[in-house]
Amino acid sequence: MTQHRRRSTAAPAPRPDRTRVIGHLAIAAILPYLLLKIAWIAGSTVGIVSASPVDAAVLQGGNLVTAAMEVVAVLVILTFTRSWGLSVPPWLVLAPTWIGTGLLAPFVVTGPVVAVSVLGDPTSVGDGSLAAWVGPLVYLSFGAQAIGLSAAFVGHVRARWSPVFTSRIAAGPAGPARPVALASAWAATTLLSVVVVARVSWACGSTWGLPASVLGSRGIAEQLADGGTAVFAVAAAVGTLSLLHRRPRAGRTRVPLCLAWVGTGAIVGSGLYATTLLLSGITGPVSAAAGAVGFVDLLQTLAGTVLAVVGASLLAGMAADRAAPSVRPAEYAGGFPHPDPTSGPADRSPGTPLPRTQ
């Protein structure tokens, strides 16, 4: 009887020591920014050359929040690099990682640009209250954190949810809620088209909708940030719609998953951050002049949240499909199911086909 070997289609799990090294490098990238924040919280003036126009209480609150976020990032990375991290509840890993990668991803591009721009003009970053070296340190730290956090997370995902990460797009879930998900995703994509047009115009130098108070402070970093947001918005829409429409059918899910993951995180993170600053009054009083920017920020936050919810439901459905037991067509021959392979010849009824060796 011919023997058939079943080939494994799952990607090999990453080496634990490699993921651990990546995680340690990511933590090393966090430390300069975290230590600077701790110093400022403690009252140190290192890196500060003059008083900031922003209220001192607001600055202190911001320092506390951002320092706490960095501590959470360290804990999440440790989860990726330790065996006990595989038993941590998924939401406790996925939620902070999605937020973190979304907030940090834009700095992969803007970080090096800021570092170079400061070499030519030390006042090109910030409000002039910080030393010239602070801007490059912060931006480059954020960019390195984004790369390190994402790489360590990929190692964790491949070790924990490898079938979801390596399956074909055509094998995506198709349940009764799919029409609702499609309608929601296309509605969010329509809203994001407005965001893309506005961001691209600002990235190209247009001043439409920009308040006069920010025109003088806009530079290459701000224009790149607008262009990056437009790219992330397109990535979020393309990734989510690709998973929903299951196209291209032969492609792996990891590509659209990564596009949707980073894209939605980036547009929600940046939009929510800017909207929070605007509504809290930190960036100044809300006025009609700031209405266009605030509207675009709110629009991308809402649209990104819708795509994120759709993506989360898709991810949950894919994980459930992989976890559910399935019956292979090869287990049936002539319309009769094969008996338990452990049963002996006496347990088989006459005419029942013998099980084929896989």
Side-chain angles (χ1 to χ4, degrees):
M1 185 175 296
T2 304
Q3 301 289 326
H4 298 281
R5 291 184 178 271
R6 180 177 298 276
R7 295 182 180 180
S8 175
T9 58
R15 293 169 52 189
D17 56 341
R18 182 181 302 172
T19 302
R20 183 166 297 184
V21 169
I22 293 173
H24 290 168
L25 291 175
I27 292 175
I30 291 174
L31 289 179
Y33 180 77
L34 178 58
L35 293 176
L36 185 62
K37 288 293 182 176
I38 293 175
W40 289 347
I41 292 171
S44 173
T45 58
V46 59
I48 300 175
V49 297
S50 63
S52 173
V54 182
D55 184 78
V58 173
L59 286 176
Q60 186 73 342
N63 289 334
L64 288 169
V65 170
T66 50
M69 292 172 66
E70 294 290 57
V71 171
V72 171
V74 171
L75 295 176
V76 170
I77 292 172
L78 289 176
T79 302
F80 297 157
T81 59
R82 297 295 185 272
S83 58
W84 51 261
L86 298 176
S87 60
V88 173
W91 67 269
L92 203 55
V93 174
L94 298 178
T97 306
W98 177 68
I99 295 172
T101 52
L103 288 173
L104 294 170
F107 292 96
V108 175
V109 176
T110 57
V113 172
V114 168
V116 172
S117 65
V118 169
L119 296 177
D121 181 11
T123 63
S124 61
V125 179
D127 55 13
S129 63
L130 301 176
W133 56 268
V134 174
L137 181 143
V138 171
Y139 276 70
L140 290 175
S141 174
F142 283 168
Q145 289 179 48
I147 296 173
L149 178 65
S150 300
F153 178 57
V154 168
H156 181 80
V157 168
R158 294 184 65 185
R160 189 171 184 177
W161 299 293
S162 180
V164 173
F165 198 65
T166 59
S167 61
R168 299 286 182 184
I169 296 177
R178 185 166 175 266
V180 176
L182 274 170
S184 301
W186 276 110
T189 300
T190 303
L191 297 179
L192 283 180
S193 64
V194 178
V195 175
V196 170
V197 170
R199 296 293 184 186
V200 169
S201 67
W202 293 336
C204 293
S206 172
T207 59
W208 170 85
L210 295 175
S213 58
V214 304
L215 292 180
S217 60
R218 279 183 63 84
I220 185 64
E222 288 75 17
Q223 289 179 268
L224 277 175
D226 284 324
T229 301
V231 172
F232 287 128
V234 173
V238 169
T240 306
L241 291 174
S242 175
L243 291 172
L244 281 171
H245 287 285
R246 289 177 284 183
R247 295 289 189 276
R249 298 185 64 84
R252 299 288 184 182
T253 56
R254 56 175 169 260
V255 175
L257 269 179
C258 289
L259 289 176
W261 178 274
V262 178
T264 56
I267 60 178
V268 171
S270 61
L272 185 60
Y273 177 76
T275 302
T276 302
L277 292 181
L278 180 65
L279 297 180
S280 64
I282 294 177
T283 56
V286 179
S287 62
V293 177
F295 175 73
V296 170
D297 288 333
L298 180 61
L299 207 60
Q300 77 178 52
T301 303
L302 294 176
T305 301
V306 171
L307 289 180
V309 171
V310 171
S313 64
L314 274 173
L315 195 59
M318 292 166 64
D321 285 351
R322 300 304 181 274
S326 59
V327 178
R328 293 174 299 172
E331 293 177 349
Y332 292 89
F336 295 96
H338 291 317
D340 185 353
T342 61
S343 61
D347 298 324
R348 298 191 184 100
S349 59
T352 302
L354 293 173
R356 291 177 294 176
T357 303
Q358 300 296 326

